[in-house]
Amino acid sequence: MRRIAAALAAATALALTPATAHAQDPGCVAETEAESVPQKPGAAPLRFGITPGVQTGQLGGPPSPPRTPEDPAQHLAKLDQLRGDPARPFVLRLHRFFWSDGEEGVQRFLALADRYTSHGYLVELQLRYHPSAEQEGDIAAWTKHVRDVVARFGANPGVVAIQVTNEVNLTYSPDSSDGSYANARDALVQGVVAAKDEAVKHGYQQLKIGFNWAYRSDPASETSFWNGVRDKGGEPFTRAVDWIGLDAYPGTFFPPAEAPGEERDGMVNAMSALRCYAQIPGIPGTVPIHVEENGWPTSPTRSEEDQARVLDTLVGAVDDFKGTYNVSDYRWFNLRDGDSTSPNMGVRYGLLRDDYSPKPAFGRYARHVQALSAPLATAPAAAGPRRKPRLSLTVRCRSRRSIRARVGGRDRGLIRSVRFSLDGRRAGRAETRAPFGRRIKLRGRTRLKARVRLTDGRRLTLRRGLRGCTRAVVREPRV
């Protein structure tokens, strides 16, 4: 493909300046012509999905807020139309989950995950490094956060994947990508290792851990990125990777323009380049690719009819070459425009306009999902039966008439909230942050209860009988 070959040649020439040419590598040029690549058979049908959030990551300036707020009823109705049969596996990729948002962000995404999985959707998380100024570079604190997220979200059997960090190979766009933050490569490598270890520890067999790559920057930067992943990660990292993600926007990001139909060559180049680069840290071809972001926005100069045509081309290319490059999943970016009146195409990637009216591409994508999708199944049941959580209610004396009650235990990461009561009366508001404890005044004989809500929606009650401040036996939880 001439346009891709020219773009790669230009990027290579830019990287190979006289001062640094001796230290550079031309990188993985990969395949530039789809028609010259064999389509290997035997791959399973794709598992489709979409990014349901309206806000996009902004290149450069601050993010643009959506013009119209979310309408929950219309939102779910449109997702149902895309999925078709409710037994069909369909994955919703929840993005912009920032570390800097703290516990408030965790609670917001727990609520989103519960909402979507309760309607039969599968969920994966884009877990962003995106630190605050105080957090930046503190990898020990970051991995602790990653483990907490895995422990709490993995208890929901409908949460099937976590992408650790986002587009670390891009170093100039902190709102959309993590590469410009200090120690971003360490955050990727150590975050993946920590996430996988935590998932294994809790027995979350349905939860797969991965990371993604943006197609693409200049060859020198790419070689540096992948060499860094190799040097920092080694075998512990490659063992922890369940899948590698691809973010590709042929005709929008790289290459920035395509002749009609040549987007197919762009997707083949993106998939083949990722396979080439993944060999540097030793990620084998048996590790599947997830096309995590793939899209083509509309604008005053990019028609809705062209978006539908490009969607057909992009989806068709991934489906045709899924066996060649071991691609298991595909996500379109994204469901709805942020502002369909804006001249900024960065807020107009949606299959829907900002008022929820469908663009032509909406119906096209629904037909592809129904024709090419993975077999019908009741997806959340694949995670197997949920085990009884290991939690306990402990009490410490503060005085003869005052105690400190706390819910903990090995599975404390599964807790969403705890509400304490004494003899049937509530003892203050629900606790939504760890440690889940409260100081409580006692009056004679007392029956203490802790009503616990878990991240997967289950509820249980822990009970203790107290008289003043004396020791008592903790009873088993009732689920």
Side-chain angles (χ1 to χ4, degrees):
M1 173 185 175
R2 292 179 181 177
R3 197 175 298 271
I4 281 186
L8 290 169
T12 302
L14 181 64
L16 297 178
T17 60
T20 60
H22 67 281
Q24 302 299 335
D25 185 309
C28 290
V29 174
E31 301 289 346
T32 59
E33 299 280 349
E35 64 180 20
S36 66
V37 178
Q39 298 178 26
K40 296 183 179 179
L46 292 169
R47 185 173 64 171
F48 281 88
I50 199 166
T51 302
V54 66
Q55 195 168 30
T56 60
Q58 302 297 298
L59 295 173
S64 301
R67 189 167 77 101
T68 55
E70 200 76 87
D71 181 323
Q74 287 201 71
H75 181 80
L76 284 172
K78 294 302 182 183
L79 288 173
D80 289 347
Q81 289 178 38
L82 282 181
R83 176 178 57 173
D85 193 307
R88 177 178 285 111
F90 195 78
V91 182
L92 303 183
R93 180 176 184 257
L94 309 188
H95 72 318
R96 301 180 69 80
F97 186 177
F98 297 160
W99 182 26
S100 58
D101 287 342
E103 181 63 20
E104 180 183 352
V106 173
Q107 291 295 326
R108 183 169 69 252
F109 278 86
L110 280 169
L112 282 173
D114 283 353
R115 177 186 177 215
Y116 289 131
T117 58
S118 68
H119 284 83
Y121 291 99
L122 301 176
V123 162
E124 66 183 12
L125 304 173
Q126 179 207 66
L127 182 58
R128 289 285 303 274
Y129 178 41
H130 199 281
S132 66
E134 295 74 24
Q135 293 167 329
E136 187 170 4
D138 189 344
I139 301 304
W142 160 248
T143 55
K144 181 179 179 180
H145 171 67
V146 170
R147 287 181 179 276
D148 179 62
V149 167
V150 170
R152 296 166 75 175
F153 284 81
N156 184 337
V159 178
V160 296
I162 294 180
Q163 174 196 303
V164 180
T165 71
N166 191 59
E167 299 177 345
V168 171
N169 64 307
L170 298 186
T171 59
Y172 51 81
S173 181
D175 185 65
S176 66
S177 312
D178 287 329
S180 62
Y181 295 107
N183 298 341
R185 295 178 187 178
D186 294 286
L188 188 165
V189 168
Q190 295 187 38
V192 165
V193 173
K196 186 62 178 179
D197 180 71
E198 195 71 16
V200 170
K201 182 173 72 175
H202 287 281
Y204 298 153
Q205 296 182 9
Q206 91 286 359
L207 186 63
K208 305 304 180 184
I209 308 300
F211 72 101
N212 71 333
W213 172 71
Y215 171 73
R216 63 186 286 164
S217 62
D218 66 89
S221 297
E222 293 298 354
T223 300
S224 173
F225 168 73
W226 288 100
N227 284 344
V229 171
R230 176 198 62 202
D231 296 342
K232 292 177 180 296
E235 188 177 349
F237 171 74
T238 57
R239 285 202 312 265
V241 175
D242 293 318
W243 54 271
I244 45 177
L246 172 63
D247 294 2
Y249 296 89
T252 302
F253 182 67
F254 182 86
E258 293 275 45
E262 289 193 344
E263 300 89 1
R264 179 178 175 85
D265 294 334
M267 282 308 298
V268 167
N269 186 251
M271 292 183 286
S272 61
L274 179 54
R275 278 293 172 213
C276 175
Y277 279 120
Q279 296 178 61
I280 295 175
I283 299 173
T286 53
V287 173
I289 288 175
H290 288 191
V291 178
E292 289 295 300
E293 293 184 20
N294 192 212
W296 199 90
T298 55
S299 76
T301 60
R302 297 161 68 101
S303 73
E304 293 182 352
E305 290 72 22
D306 282 340
Q307 184 192 43
R309 174 191 58 77
V310 173
L311 183 147
D312 286 341
T313 301
L314 296 174
V315 174
V318 175
D319 188 65
D320 286 345
F321 293 97
K322 63 182 183 293
T324 304
Y325 300 112
N326 186 17
V327 181
S328 64
D329 287 64
Y330 180 91
R331 321 273 178 260
W332 180 265
F333 188 91
N334 59 347
L335 179 64
R336 184 170 71 102
D337 285 353
D339 185 351
S340 298
T341 67
S342 173
N344 175 14
M345 67 180 183
V347 296
R348 295 177 63 176
Y349 279 93
L351 300 177
L352 303 171
R353 304 180 191 95
D354 59 21
D355 64 357
Y356 288 91
S357 60
K359 301 178 187 178
F362 180 84
R364 298 282 188 91
Y365 192 53
R367 288 195 290 273
H368 286 305
V369 169
Q370 292 160 27
L372 305 174
S373 185
L376 300 180
T378 306
R386 293 178 288 185
R387 61 174 172 79
K388 186 176 182 179
R390 290 159 291 191
L391 298 173
S392 60
L393 173 59
T394 58
V395 174
R396 288 187 178 181
C397 295
R398 300 297 299 257
S399 67
R400 291 190 63 186
R401 297 296 182 183
S402 176
I403 62 170
R404 179 76 180 180
R406 181 175 176 179
V407 176
R410 183 170 180 179
D411 289 333
R412 60 189 179 277
L414 309 185
I415 300 172
R416 165 174 272 188
S417 66
V418 176
R419 186 182 292 278
F420 295 97
S421 65
L422 285 171
D423 296 328
R425 288 187 171 185
R426 291 180 178 179
R429 69 182 188 279
E431 301 298 324
T432 59
R433 296 190 179 188
F436 296 92
R438 172 169 286 276
R439 185 173 180 176
I440 304 171
K441 292 182 178 180
L442 299 177
R443 294 180 179 179
R445 290 182 178 272
T446 302
R447 187 78 169 172
L448 175 66
K449 291 184 181 180
R451 301 183 186 276
V452 183
R453 184 181 178 191
L454 303 179
T455 56
D456 61 3
R458 285 183 291 172
R459 299 173 187 268
L460 59 91
T461 300
L462 306 178
R463 297 178 173 87
R464 288 193 68 166
L466 300 173
R467 182 176 182 179
C469 196
T470 59
R471 299 181 65 181
V473 177
V474 179
R475 297 191 177 183
E476 289 296 316
R478 296 181 181 177
V479 180

